[in-house]
Amino acid sequence: MNAPLPTAQLRQQLYADMSPLHLTPLWEVLHALVPPRPATPCVPALWKYDEVRPFLMRAGEVITAEEAVRRVLILENPALRGQSAVTQSLYAGLQLILPGEVAPAHRHTQSALRFIVEGRGAYTAVDGERTTMQPGDFIITPSWTWHDHGSEADGPVVWLDGLDIPMIRFLDAGFAENSADKSQRVTRAEGTSFARYGHNMVPVRHEPPFGATSPIFSYPYERSREALAQLERSEAPDPWDGHKLRYVNPLTGGWTMPTIGTFMQRLPAGFNGRGWRQTDGAVYSVVEGQGVVVIESGEKTWRYAFGPRDHFVVPSWHTARLASSAGCVLFSYSDRPVHQALGIHREERLS
Ligand code: 1HN
């Protein structure tokens, strides 16, 4: 008589025998599927503009905006190489447009934001209206709207693109279309959308032009900067965030885009912030000034000194602390609207 097989061997035999039927045992993966706390594969990362800019300019020498369609260097999370992702749900890239160039009109279901990093005088057109880009402006390209970019500036213009590409890919909901026209026809004067929606007033009779997305497509830095400077003069900073504001859709008071939340904050000189962690992973673009971010997860610590035009990413459930001796302004975006819509957003503020 053969001795009975040991349990471990019986189990392995079961797994092997059922595998051809595409069956696999849950109990081998259960704790990884429902971890006690978020276990993101993403890691923190910093892109120093001084190091990135020469490669952007080299890209400008080897390919035109029209050939490339969009001449962008993707900021890839070091732990997600090849996935065009800065976090599991978000994309980030730096786009260059040179004088006289056009990035041709197209549309897609992915939503995009532009945050202007360097240069002035390029434009982006959305749904028949152009807006001129200035450093620090936050511009929206709503899902499925025609958009093209062009430049009549006299030097390079660079902006940060933030898109929900990985999220839309995960949902298998991506569609795209190229326009027959290289540049779309302008049908409204520049500033029309801001006049309609940008002054705490909205048209009496209207349909939201972009569904759940904000009808304002450019939030000028001049305004955001002044708001934060005024708050710095009039009240104490929040111990975690400094003076931090959330961009809003004026029709709803909600997020500017259904998938991406956007923020701008000012850390006063001498700010030494407390730590926090939250489930939404965030990408930061440094607008002005200098500072330091310290990020921690488990035993690991990352310490990044940042200055103007640098970019960094704080992944889900990593503890972060911000400090600035000279003061600074930071723009950021994250997938928080989705966490909140699903009722799964969590935040912890450490004392
Ligand atoms: C896109 O359409 C733009 O319109 C930028 O400027 C970056 C990345 C992936 C897919 C589409 C743009 C993009 C993109």
Side-chain angles (χ1 to χ4, degrees):
M1 253 209 19
N2 290 337
L5 288 170
T7 308
Q9 221 172 317
L10 285 169
R11 288 179 185 169
Q12 289 309 317
Q13 195 59 54
L14 168 65
Y15 304 165
D17 291 348
M18 68 187 178
S19 180
L21 272 70
H22 316 119
L23 295 169
T24 196
L26 171 63
W27 58 89
E28 293 288 344
V29 293
L30 184 56
H31 32 274
L33 288 181
V34 283
R37 63 194 66 82
T40 180
C42 296
V43 292
L46 168 74
W47 290 267
K48 296 291 290 175
Y49 196 65
D50 286 352
E51 293 174 3
V52 172
R53 192 178 189 279
F55 293 109
L56 260 176
M57 296 307 141
R58 265 172 70 182
E61 288 164 13
V62 301
I63 192 161
T64 66
E66 197 171 341
E67 274 179 292
V69 183
R70 297 295 185 262
R71 186 173 48 220
V72 181
L73 302 186
I74 303 174
L75 307 182
E76 274 196 330
N77 192 286
L80 303 175
R81 295 307 306 270
Q83 297 184 39
S84 305
V86 68
T87 68
Q88 293 266 75
S89 62
L90 295 171
Y91 161 103
L94 287 170
Q95 179 158 179
L96 167 68
I97 196 151
L98 292 168
E101 288 191 321
V102 169
H106 69 185
R107 62 177 177 174
H108 38 71
T109 42
Q110 292 82 359
S111 296
L113 69 85
R114 329 280 167 196
F115 187 73
I116 317 313
V117 167
E118 176 186 344
R120 55 185 75 238
Y123 66 82
T124 186
V126 170
D127 196 38
E129 185 176 332
R130 280 188 183 178
T131 191
T132 305
M133 298 171 163
Q134 314 284 354
D137 291 355
F138 156 54
I139 293 172
I140 300 175
T141 309
S143 173
W144 208 241
T145 51
W146 293 109
H147 55 284
D148 48 272
H149 320 297
S151 178
E152 282 137 30
D154 49 17
V157 175
V158 176
W159 64 83
L160 170 70
D161 286 315
L163 287 91
D164 53 11
I165 302 236
M167 219 184 294
I168 303 302
R169 178 167 59 199
F170 174 77
L171 297 169
D172 285 333
F175 292 88
E177 216 180 319
N178 290 320
S179 172
D181 302 317
K182 204 164 96 168
S183 301
Q184 64 184 288
R185 206 161 54 82
V186 172
T187 58
R188 280 194 307 278
E190 175 158 3
T192 305
S193 85
F194 201 73
R196 278 188 188 144
Y197 301 104
H199 300 278
N200 296 321
M201 302 171 88
V202 298
V204 176
R205 291 182 190 81
H206 70 278
E207 287 294 315
F210 307 126
T213 301
S214 172
I216 296 179
F217 78 96
S218 175
Y219 292 77
Y221 184 46
E222 210 186 348
R223 296 294 195 92
S224 330
R225 185 179 199 278
E226 184 45 38
L228 292 169
Q230 170 76 41
L231 289 178
E232 184 179 344
R233 289 191 293 271
S234 35
E235 62 185 32
D238 175 86
W240 291 268
D241 292 334
H243 302 280
K244 186 169 185 175
L245 296 173
R246 168 174 78 81
Y247 291 90
V248 295
N249 175 340
L251 295 176
T252 62
W255 301 101
T256 50
M257 286 170 279
T259 47
I260 307 177
T262 47
F263 309 85
M264 189 173 269
Q265 73 200 99
R266 185 177 182 101
L267 309 182
F271 184 76
N272 191 8
R274 297 186 189 163
W276 82 93
R277 57 182 177 177
Q278 51 199 9
T279 49
D280 50 322
V283 179
Y284 287 77
S285 181
V286 183
V287 193
E288 294 184 50
Q290 262 93 28
V292 172
V293 60
V294 178
I295 306 172
E296 288 171 335
S297 177
E299 304 291 281
K300 294 209 194 93
T301 302
W302 296 260
R303 186 183 183 281
Y304 299 142
F306 56 74
R309 301 168 177 167
D310 292 346
H311 293 86
F312 59 90
V313 55
V314 180
S316 166
W317 217 240
H318 282 53
T319 299
R321 274 183 290 128
L322 289 164
S324 177
S325 47
C328 65
V329 178
L330 306 173
F331 171 83
S332 59
Y333 67 96
S334 84
D335 53 359
R336 196 180 306 177
V338 179
H339 292 241
Q340 290 189 339
L342 302 180
I344 55 167
H345 187 256
R346 280 205 203 185
E347 179 179 41
E348 244 178 42
R349 303 184 116 198
L350 313 172
S351 47

